[in-house]
Amino acid sequence: MAEENTVFIGKKPTMNYVLAVVTQFNSGSNDVIIKARGRAISRAVDVAEIVRHRFIHNAVVKDIKIETETLTGEGGRSANVSSIEIYMSK
Amino acid sequence: MAEENTVFIGKKPTMNYVLAVVTQFNSGSNDVIIKARGRAISRAVDVAEIVRHRFIHNAVVKDIKIETETLTGEGGRSANVSSIEIYMSK
């Protein structure tokens, strides 16, 4: 799946990301991946749920993967952060 | 699967819930469900990741489900909140 079908969830309002996912589906994509790390994970779940309940009623959550990513800071210290990938299809 | 195999994630420190899941596995359960709502969803993912990377190395995430729950407040107003269920097995 191409990188352009992926929506990264950050700190903006939830509806911004809902709009991004809906736009992907409406511009011809049959698959969209929603990715998030750390505290944005809750928002990623909100986005998937709002998209399929309110906007794209034939969209389903096909798969969900969780992982641990290791981020290395400037000082060379590393921190582990959880991430989620939600695979949606219509 | 019995209700006693379920760990509900709340606002306590993440390691409290990690300990609860590890205790379930070590007391004979082969399956544990981690449940969370709203902002605790990110913590639920952290708990699952910490359990399988640091404590129970043969534990795997078998399935993840997301849902929308409707909560009704005292005034009769309702609010939607996302929830997650992470099914772990060893």
Side-chain angles (χ1 to χ4, degrees):
Chain A
M1 203 177 303
E3 188 74 6
E4 65 238 45
N5 289 342
T6 303
V7 174
F8 290 93
I9 308 299
K11 294 181 175 177
K12 292 180 191 166
T14 303
M15 292 310 287
N16 291 31
Y17 303 109
V18 170
L19 183 66
V21 174
V22 170
T23 303
Q24 284 285 342
F25 275 124
N26 287 341
S27 64
S29 300
N30 289 320
D31 302 278
V32 177
I33 310 175
I34 301 168
K35 289 192 187 185
R37 284 201 291 222
R39 289 194 197 166
I41 288 174
S42 309
R43 188 170 297 127
V45 173
D46 288 340
V47 169
E49 286 295 291
I50 293 170
V51 165
R52 71 190 184 97
H53 282 112
R54 284 207 237 155
F55 294 98
I56 314 279
H57 295 288
N58 57 341
V60 294
V61 173
K62 224 172 38 176
D63 195 16
I64 301 175
K65 290 181 189 162
I66 59 174
E67 276 181 2
T68 301
E69 295 181 18
T70 303
L71 305 179
T72 307
E74 285 186 17
R77 263 181 286 181
S78 68
N80 290 327
V81 63
S82 300
S83 65
I84 197 167
E85 294 182 3
I86 303 174
Y87 294 77
M88 297 192 78
S89 294
K90 68 161 186 178
Chain B
M1 201 176 304
E3 189 75 3
E4 67 237 43
N5 290 342
T6 301
V7 174
F8 290 93
I9 308 299
K11 293 180 175 178
K12 292 180 191 168
T14 303
M15 291 312 286
N16 292 31
Y17 303 107
V18 170
L19 183 67
V21 174
V22 169
T23 303
Q24 284 284 345
F25 276 125
N26 287 342
S27 65
S29 299
N30 289 320
D31 302 277
V32 177
I33 310 175
I34 300 168
K35 288 191 186 185
R37 282 201 292 223
R39 289 195 197 165
I41 288 175
S42 308
R43 187 171 296 126
V45 174
D46 288 341
V47 168
E49 287 294 291
I50 293 169
V51 165
R52 70 189 184 97
H53 282 113
R54 285 207 236 157
F55 295 97
I56 315 278
H57 294 288
N58 58 341
V60 294
V61 174
K62 222 171 39 173
D63 197 14
I64 302 174
K65 289 180 190 164
I66 59 174
E67 274 179 4
T68 301
E69 295 181 18
T70 303
L71 306 178
T72 306
E74 286 185 18
R77 261 180 288 180
S78 68
N80 289 327
V81 61
S82 300
S83 66
I84 196 168
E85 295 182 3
I86 303 174
Y87 295 77
M88 296 191 79
S89 295
K90 67 162 187 176

